[in-house]
Amino acid sequence: MASFLEYIEHWANHTADIPALVSPQGTATYRELWNQVRSLKSTIELIDNNIISIHEDEAHYWYVSEFLAGLEAGLQVFPMPPGLKPRTLDDLYNRIVLDPYHSPQSREVGSVLHLTSGSTGAQRVVVRSLENLIAEALSVADMLNLSTGRRVLVTTPLSHSFGCGMMRAVLISGATLYTAFSSNPHLRFTTIRKYLKDGVDIVTGVPYVFQTLLRHWPIPFTINNTMCYSGGEPVPSKLCRDWLYITDSYLKQEYGLSEGGIATFASKDSSDLSIGKALPGVAIKLARDGELVIYREGNPTQYYFYESPETFLHDGGVNTGDIGYILNGEYYLTGRKKSVIIVAGMKLVPYEVEDRICQVPGVEESVVLAVPDSMTGERPHAFVLCLDTTVSKELLVRYLHTQLESYKVPKGFTFLREWPRTVSGKIDRQSLKEML
């Protein structure tokens, strides 16, 4: 199995002057990246610890180089997401980097410790093997037809599993990686708009990125030659339609998880609700209850601290916690297992209600959560992101009663102008629960 550095070396020798990375800090060719990674590897090999933490800030070139050098040196690479609270940062560093009990004994093969987003629960650390990382990169590159000359804009943090998977796929294929993440939102979106105007072939990000871009889109500017993919959480079908209408480009869904990486991409011909087909080298099975189980070469077998062992199956599969179905060869999600609301014994899948709410003009996004109810056990409560002050609870209730069974219509609504979000831009559902 070739290493990432061997792929970088190949492109350095064959396309030495082709940009490998373009960021607000400058451009680096494959030759420059290869030399930088080799130099860093020599330095990293001298450290005593077998785990190295790398911090994503504005210096994307340095971050990418450290990531690749750590893997090449056979270390466990722990990418620290930007924006972590100091207490969380210190706790993770002490429990992982400074704890000799968990540190691997050898440096034969590198691996990555991915921190889950924690948007729906406690953050966990996933152990991902080099075999799994390369298998993911090759399958993504194959599915998206990545090659030299293709320009891919990644708007999520490179420490996020979606952003990290795209980064590796771009570099393994000889394409050019454009990065735009910044802790300064104004700089971040200014950079994204610049790259879009300059011209890129593919854009990836969470729904929040595309929602924000639409709010300030420079009409009549279009990007009809650009394919856009959103992941990290379900994409409202209305957002896909609005994106196509305003930008003349397609916005489709990606699906994946920290426990194994990117698993599907929808095509421009897919339904807006489809998460698409499984990538080459990925198998998806549906359990009896509809849960998606992902199989890929080198799948993780545990969390770093061994919690929730039921996630990882003995046959190499990973339980996703997502419920869905397959139609015409493509997969569709209906919700999270632990998010299903039981109203007087009847099951309510929040995603169905959320999508209906988003069809109302003026509504951008919605999240439906369960709240206790003395009569029915649970009842749905809707959080609604809406900048239009004419949208009211009464309007939504009337509309939803024409679309859904009565027990699915939320009794309570909370209107927000901004979501609480994780660093990657995903809606922080834990924070929403605390508002109830």
Side-chain angles (χ1 to χ4, degrees):
M1 177 179 63
S3 69
F4 281 108
L5 186 57
E6 287 174 311
Y7 282 101
I8 301 297
E9 181 182 13
H10 170 80
W11 298 118
N13 290 332
H14 290 81
T15 55
D17 297 326
I18 293 292
L21 175 65
V22 178
S23 73
Q25 293 74 44
T27 299
T29 66
Y30 272 94
R31 173 71 67 181
E32 290 169 334
L33 179 61
W34 181 56
N35 287 331
Q36 176 73 355
V37 173
R38 290 169 61 213
S39 174
L40 277 175
K41 175 178 177 286
S42 300
T43 302
I44 289 173
E45 286 175 333
L46 299 177
I47 68 174
D48 294 330
N49 205 329
N50 288 337
I51 298 177
I52 180 174
S53 64
I54 58 175
H55 300 260
E56 184 174 4
D57 50 25
E58 313 300 314
H60 298 138
Y61 173 51
W62 186 260
Y63 174 86
V64 172
S65 301
E66 281 189 313
F67 180 94
L68 296 172
L71 282 179
E72 193 65 21
L75 302 182
Q76 282 194 319
V77 180
F78 184 30
M80 291 282 202
L84 285 178
K85 296 178 180 178
R87 181 177 296 179
T88 303
L89 188 64
D90 290 343
D91 179 63
L92 287 171
Y93 190 82
N94 290 333
R95 294 176 67 200
I96 294 176
V97 181
L98 299 182
D99 185 355
Y101 176 77
H102 281 99
S103 182
Q105 299 302 307
S106 67
R107 292 188 176 185
E108 295 178 3
V109 181
S111 60
V112 168
L113 304 179
H114 261 315
L115 185 66
T116 63
S117 66
S119 58
T120 60
Q123 286 184 295
R124 292 175 176 150
V125 179
V126 185
V127 183
R128 296 191 60 190
S129 67
L130 183 63
E131 178 185 29
N132 185 247
L133 298 170
I134 290 179
E136 177 194 14
L138 290 173
S139 64
V140 171
D142 187 2
M143 186 69 139
L144 300 183
N145 296 313
L146 299 182
S147 60
T148 302
R150 297 274 279 172
R151 300 155 298 175
V152 181
L153 170 56
V154 177
T155 65
T156 51
L158 299 181
S159 51
H160 184 262
S161 60
F162 186 17
C164 185
M166 290 303 305
M167 172 191 78
R168 287 180 277 107
V170 170
L171 297 178
I172 213 169
S173 64
T176 300
L177 174 68
Y178 287 72
T179 65
F181 183 79
S182 170
S183 56
N184 181 327
H186 176 73
L187 176 59
R188 181 184 186 186
F189 284 99
T190 298
T191 303
I192 293 173
R193 293 187 189 97
K194 177 186 182 303
Y195 290 155
L196 289 174
K197 289 182 178 180
D198 291 345
V200 291
D201 300 294
I202 294 173
V203 181
T204 64
V206 294
Y208 157 70
V209 168
F210 298 101
Q211 288 277 20
T212 304
L213 288 170
L214 274 189
R215 289 182 190 175
H216 310 286
W217 194 261
I219 296 174
F221 173 66
T222 60
I223 52 171
N224 57 301
N225 292 322
T226 301
M227 189 69 197
C228 304
Y229 297 100
S230 186
E233 57 190 354
V235 185
S237 58
K238 182 175 180 291
L239 173 58
C240 296
R241 295 196 301 272
D242 289 346
W243 184 263
L244 178 60
Y245 179 76
I246 298 296
T247 72
D248 197 29
S249 67
Y250 289 95
L251 173 62
K252 296 297 179 178
Q253 301 208 47
E254 168 272 352
Y255 174 72
L257 60 163
S258 300
E259 299 85 343
I262 300 168
T264 74
F265 277 104
S267 71
K268 67 177 183 180
D269 298 320
S270 301
S271 160
D272 290 336
L273 295 176
S274 170
I275 60 172
K277 297 181 179 180
L279 271 60
V282 172
I284 301 177
K285 296 181 180 180
L286 294 177
R288 289 185 177 181
D289 60 359
E291 181 176 6
L292 276 66
V293 183
I294 305 294
Y295 292 82
R296 170 183 267 137
E297 189 176 1
N299 257 353
T301 58
Q302 66 184 45
Y303 289 114
Y304 192 75
F305 295 109
Y306 310 110
E307 64 268 61
S308 301
E310 69 280 359
T311 301
F312 308 98
L313 305 181
H314 294 300
D315 64 357
V318 175
N319 286 325
T320 64
D322 292 311
I323 304 297
Y325 61 94
I326 186 170
L327 178 65
N328 297 326
E330 298 199 356
Y331 291 90
Y332 293 76
L333 298 181
T334 56
R336 295 281 296 170
K337 281 181 67 173
K338 63 182 180 181
S339 298
V340 172
I341 302 171
I342 307 298
V343 182
M346 295 177 288
K347 289 185 178 181
L348 183 161
V349 179
Y351 183 60
E352 179 187 8
V353 184
E354 293 165 356
D355 192 64
R356 293 296 193 284
I357 292 174
C358 288
Q359 304 308 314
V360 176
V363 173
E364 293 196 0
E365 289 181 281
S366 177
V367 170
V368 174
L369 300 176
V371 294
D373 187 278
S374 58
M375 298 291 291
T376 61
E378 291 181 322
R379 57 182 169 82
H381 182 97
F383 290 87
V384 181
L385 182 67
C386 182
L387 303 182
D388 186 344
T389 56
T390 64
V391 177
S392 64
K393 172 184 175 180
E394 293 72 24
L395 184 153
L396 292 176
V397 169
R398 285 198 303 271
Y399 172 75
L400 293 176
H401 273 297
T402 69
Q403 302 290 312
L404 303 166
E405 295 94 332
S406 293
Y407 77 93
K408 295 181 179 180
V409 178
K411 301 296 187 293
F413 291 82
T414 299
F415 292 88
L416 300 173
R417 296 183 67 83
E418 290 291 341
W419 290 122
R421 295 189 182 274
T422 65
V423 174
S424 65
K426 295 171 65 174
I427 299 171
D428 190 341
R429 294 170 185 258
Q430 284 297 111
S431 294
L432 292 179
K433 288 180 181 179
E434 295 171 4
M435 297 182 188
L436 295 173

